[in-house]
Amino acid sequence: ASPEDFEPAVMWCCMDIDISWGTWLRALASGTGFAPRQSLVVPDGVGAGALLTLTARSALDLFLRVRSWKPGSEIVISALTVPDMAEIIEEHGLVPVSIDVDPVTGCWSHGDLLGNITPRTRALLLAHLFGHRYELAGALRLARDHDIDVIEDCAQAWRGPGWLGHAPAAASLFSFGPTKNCTALGGGVLRLRKREDLEQARRLLESDPLQSGRDYTRRVLSYGFIKALSGPRTYALAVGLLRVLGRDHEAFVHSATRSVAGTSLMTRIRQRPCRALRHMLLDAMQRQEDWQARISSGRLLISALADHVQVPGRHNTNNHFWVVPVIADRIPEFKAELRRNGFDAMSGRLKTVKGSTGQLRGSAMLEHAVYLPFHPSMSESVLRRLGALVSAALLNGPDAAGASRQAPRT
């Protein structure tokens, strides 16, 4: 068979469903009527000043409903973010003003923030990316000096109990969607600094339609199926089957793990989370994960990547490795090379917010970053093999690493 026809017997999946089978069973039981009643307000012992929402997008929409700024007001937004965030801003009659992020760090610059604040600016919306947590002190000082809000998007930055964003920020948004660490298979959290904002947000949220409990149960069942197929051998079989059927497995995985689906964005996100999802969100917020194992494995993989491999945030020590992205020139060939060797690298879902008068080269680079398959269950030898393969492929082109067509051992 030609190299293009090579089908490895083992393939490490890029999209991990980070939930144990025991927790999955609790989610299933919750969806069938066994979840206790739970307020939309997070108990102070779990997260003071926070509300449970349907998604992180819902959390942003809810905060903008609380603020109800005059149409035409501006929000300065770090340009690389999940889809729909700019659309939500525009749905409120507001104007997103995008600023570039550094392709080396993934973070915005203080100068860009300062240079884009005008008398119409009402807030800065700043995203922590890829599992990194960025320093906000400068942005918070700038916001205080100009009497504007800081909204921090922490959808990719959860790392266990005890931290719900920077306290001085007006709002912090979190996601517990299906591909996030410590997932609840959906849901978000909105943490608000001011008690009066919390009360107003609660009243608004309680007036929204209730998410269907059956929809959440179907979600739990579907992600249980995906989790069952995500082992290295079963995933290789699934990818092979999709290929036989003429399906693009990467597009299939992205579609199957999308948190928000449907037609009307605002209709989809303006719902209260159902009782079962609220229960599982609180479970996720209190879940004790072995974060050190994840960090140690992530650092091992980074150390196995040669210096010429561009890894956004390589030197950021405040990283819990939600994903491990790399920059590649010939993306299809690079991904194909890794897949031939049993590693299913994928492109992400982040998008660059358009409409800025400035250049967005850094955001455009990171938008097309390739995510390496990564999970703490991968052994040291597998992580080192992956690092060596990526290093060779990105040094001399994808064929340089193709001499060995053997899948990594489990």
Side-chain angles (χ1 to χ4, degrees):
S2 67
E4 290 75 14
D5 293 330
F6 179 78
E7 295 286 356
V10 171
M11 183 176 285
W12 288 94
C13 179
C14 187
M15 297 292 184
D16 176 55
I17 308 298
D18 186 26
I19 189 171
S20 70
W21 283 113
T23 304
W24 179 84
L25 285 172
R26 289 202 302 275
L28 187 62
S30 298
T32 53
F34 293 95
R37 290 190 178 276
Q38 169 59 47
S39 167
L40 293 166
V41 179
V42 178
D44 285 347
V46 178
L51 290 171
L52 303 176
T53 64
L54 187 69
T55 67
R57 295 169 177 84
S58 308
L60 174 62
D61 173 60
L62 185 58
F63 180 71
L64 296 181
R65 290 159 69 189
V66 169
R67 281 291 181 263
S68 191
W69 284 309
K70 179 181 177 181
S73 298
E74 296 175 349
I75 295 182
V76 177
I77 178 173
S78 50
L80 192 66
T81 184
V82 295
D84 306 326
M85 300 301 265
E87 183 179 342
I88 291 169
I89 292 171
E90 290 168 345
E91 284 284 345
H92 285 264
L94 309 175
V95 180
V97 177
S98 55
I99 60 169
D100 204 10
V101 297
D102 187 329
V104 176
T105 65
C107 191
W108 56 89
S109 80
H110 184 83
D112 283 345
L113 289 178
L114 179 60
N116 282 277
I117 292 176
T118 74
R120 295 183 298 276
T121 304
R122 296 294 174 265
L124 311 176
L125 173 55
L126 306 174
H128 304 276
L129 299 176
F130 308 129
H132 299 284
R133 188 184 294 173
Y134 303 131
E135 178 56 56
L136 277 190
L140 289 167
R141 285 194 300 269
L142 196 60
R144 184 175 63 248
D145 292 343
H146 290 82
D147 193 25
I148 58 178
D149 286 333
V150 170
I151 310 166
E152 60 173 336
D153 182 351
C154 307
Q156 301 179 11
W158 178 259
R159 61 185 66 183
W163 189 80
L164 274 182
H166 292 80
S172 302
L173 323 174
F174 291 87
S175 172
F176 292 87
T179 63
K180 296 298 191 298
N181 291 337
C182 209
T183 180
L185 301 178
V189 170
L190 171 62
R191 196 276 307 166
L192 295 164
R193 183 180 76 238
K194 296 181 179 179
R195 177 61 60 177
E196 57 268 31
D197 288 346
L198 180 71
E199 288 303 313
Q200 185 178 354
R202 178 187 59 78
R203 290 192 296 270
L204 288 168
L205 187 55
E206 287 178 344
S207 69
D208 288 340
L210 181 66
Q211 175 198 22
S212 166
R214 290 182 180 180
D215 285 349
Y216 181 68
T217 298
R218 283 194 290 268
R219 171 181 287 260
V220 172
L221 288 170
S222 65
Y223 287 121
F225 178 71
I226 293 171
K227 178 177 172 62
L229 291 179
S230 63
R233 296 188 184 280
T234 53
Y235 187 69
L237 289 172
V239 170
L241 177 59
L242 287 170
R243 182 172 178 176
V244 168
L245 296 174
R247 298 287 300 275
D248 181 332
H249 82 278
E250 182 171 355
F252 179 85
V253 169
H254 279 311
S255 176
T257 56
R258 185 167 288 119
S259 290
V260 178
T263 53
S264 171
L265 172 63
M266 303 310 289
T267 299
R268 296 194 311 267
I269 66 175
R270 282 190 181 173
Q271 299 181 63
R272 286 174 288 152
C274 67
R275 182 195 297 189
L277 179 53
R278 288 183 232 175
H279 175 67
M280 294 312 299
L281 278 168
L282 287 179
D283 177 275
M285 292 178 72
Q286 299 173 84
R287 202 178 301 159
Q288 297 293 336
E289 298 273 328
D290 189 353
W291 297 98
Q292 190 54 51
R294 173 174 290 276
I295 292 170
S296 297
S297 294
R299 288 176 177 170
L300 174 61
L301 176 55
I302 294 295
S303 70
L305 297 170
D307 290 343
H308 66 265
V309 178
Q310 299 179 65
V311 186
R314 178 193 279 266
H315 302 295
N316 183 5
T317 58
N318 202 348
N319 183 6
H320 79 299
F321 296 95
W322 173 54
V323 293
V324 179
V326 297
I327 305 298
D329 290 329
R330 293 184 287 170
I331 294 175
E333 294 86 351
F334 174 62
K335 290 194 288 190
E337 177 59 29
L338 265 60
R339 287 166 181 166
R340 284 193 291 265
N341 284 271
F343 294 101
D344 189 28
M346 289 189 176
S347 300
R349 295 184 185 140
L350 296 176
K351 297 295 181 183
T352 300
V353 177
K354 307 299 183 182
S356 172
T357 56
Q359 296 295 318
L360 302 175
R361 294 192 182 94
S363 300
M365 285 181 64
L366 296 186
E367 178 181 339
H368 297 99
V370 177
Y371 299 172
L372 303 181
F374 168 72
H375 190 270
S377 67
M378 298 168 74
S379 68
E380 178 177 346
S381 62
V382 169
L383 290 170
R384 291 195 183 280
R385 280 174 59 88
L386 174 57
L389 179 66
V390 171
S391 299
L394 294 182
L395 177 63
N396 298 312
D399 289 338
S404 171
R405 302 296 183 190
Q406 299 300 313
R409 293 179 293 275
T410 56

